[in-house]
């Protein structure tokens, strides 16, 4: 059990994650109402809850029915043209589905307001827990421009700064680790991992250690079942999945494991590696250095050739 301050932060982060899941449920309900009216917003835009998608939904709820007028709400960054979007926005506008859409939108916006309240309270709590030597300091900029752009686009820079001042290290320097993942890890364990003498014990606690069932002193073969994973392991699995096409050492490791054993094991193994990197950075301050996908694959081939020649 972490310190009392971390427990309070953990409560806020867990409640916020529940609200995020609830908001996603209301997005699905809006999607269903639109589909039943044959209004294919999901084909016009990639994300219904993006800038263009929400603008179109609000306009429909406001009474707009002209497909061309709805298409003019297109964000300049949208890939599809106004003509392509307008083709997908002609429906029959049944009254009952419009009512359901209106109620789902109101609930979604209400949940978003509550999420904003939680985010402000989390930032306030993190400010109270900031280390004296880190107060006022800025975290180092992300090494990858795409990652920096994604953080700015999601408005996560204030949270990234607060997490850095609270822990004293920038966990987002690790490839695949985003601000949301850092928030989950630090809210569940805190920045002090001294209660785990070794990284193996930390990995085991996050349920990311390989499990070998034994009965009567012999390995037992059992069907794979979904194990109860902690919030940290779930977050790290999602982070590991993002490395499928990444041109980093972690991405090369994921693909190499996927070729050998399978994609599901590759996600598990990459998540375990991320847990060890987080432990080393938080416990010992060991910086993360990405050698790149080509360097990793070359080193792996050299080890493989040496093993075959032995």
């Amino acid at each position: 059990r972490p310190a009392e301050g971390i427990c309070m932060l953990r409560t806020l982060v867990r409640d916020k994650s529940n609200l995020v899941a609830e908001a996603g449920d209301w997005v699905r309900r809006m999607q269903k109402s639109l589909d039943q009216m044959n209004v294919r917003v999901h084909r016009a835009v990639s994300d219904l809850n993006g800038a263009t998608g929400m603008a179109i939904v609000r306009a429909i709820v406001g009474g707009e029915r002209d497909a061309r007028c709805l298409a003019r709400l297109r964000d300049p960054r949208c890939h599809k043209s106004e003509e392509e979007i307008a083709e997908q926005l002609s429906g029959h506008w049944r009254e009952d589905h419009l009512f359901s859409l209106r109620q789902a939108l109101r609930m979604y916006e209400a949940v978003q307001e509550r999420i904003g309240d939680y985010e402000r309270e989390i930032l306030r709590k993190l400010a109270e827990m900031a280390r004296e030597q880190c107060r006022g300091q800025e975290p180092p900029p992300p090494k990858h421009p795409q990652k920096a752009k994604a953080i700015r686009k999601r408005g996560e820079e204030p949270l990234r700064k607060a997490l850095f001042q609270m822990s004293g290290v920038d966990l987002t320097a690790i490839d695949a680790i985003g601000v949301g993942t850092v928030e989950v890890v630090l809210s569940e364990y805190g920045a002090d991992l001294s209660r785990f003498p070794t990284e193996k014990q930390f990995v085991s606690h996050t349920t990311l250690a390989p499990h070998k069932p034994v009965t009567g002193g012999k390995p037992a073969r059992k069907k794979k079942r979904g194990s109860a994973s902690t919030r940290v392991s779930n977050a790290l699995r999602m982070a590991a999945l993002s490395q499928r096409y990444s041109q980093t050492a972690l991405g090369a490791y994921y693909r190499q494991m996927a070729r050998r054993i399978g994609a599901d094991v590759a996600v598990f193994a990459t998540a375990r590696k991320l847990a060890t990197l987080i432990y080393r950075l938080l416990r010992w301050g060991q910086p993360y250095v990405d050698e790149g996908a080509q360097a990793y694959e070359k080193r792996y081939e050299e080890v493989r050739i040496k093993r075959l020649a032995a």
Side-chain angles (χ1 to χ4, degrees), residues 140-192:
K143 296 180 180 179
H144 300 287
Q146 292 182 349
K147 192 170 190 177
K149 181 179 178 181
I151 291 174
R152 289 195 302 269
K153 182 179 179 181
R154 297 169 186 158
E156 296 177 335
E157 189 60 35
L159 179 58
R160 175 173 173 261
K161 178 180 177 181
L163 293 169
F164 168 76
Q165 294 178 352
M166 174 259 197
S167 62
V169 296
D170 180 24
L171 290 177
T172 60
I174 303 173
D175 292 317
I177 299 296
V179 179
T181 306
V182 178
E183 182 184 34
V184 172
V185 172
L186 293 181
S187 64
E188 293 292 333
Y189 288 105
D192 183 14

Side-chain angles (χ1 to χ4, degrees), residues 78-96:
C78 191
H79 293 295
K80 292 187 177 180
S81 64
E82 289 187 11
E83 292 74 15
E84 292 175 322
I85 293 177
E87 290 178 0
Q88 308 295 337
L89 301 181
S90 297
H92 51 71
W93 313 111
R94 265 181 49 170
E95 184 179 350
D96 54 340

Side-chain angles (χ1 to χ4, degrees), residues 63-80:
E64 184 60 63
R65 300 291 179 265
D66 189 346
R68 294 189 177 276
C69 292
L70 293 173
R72 292 193 191 102
L73 300 173
R74 165 186 175 272
D75 189 271
R77 296 168 295 182
C78 191
H79 293 295
K80 292 187 177 180

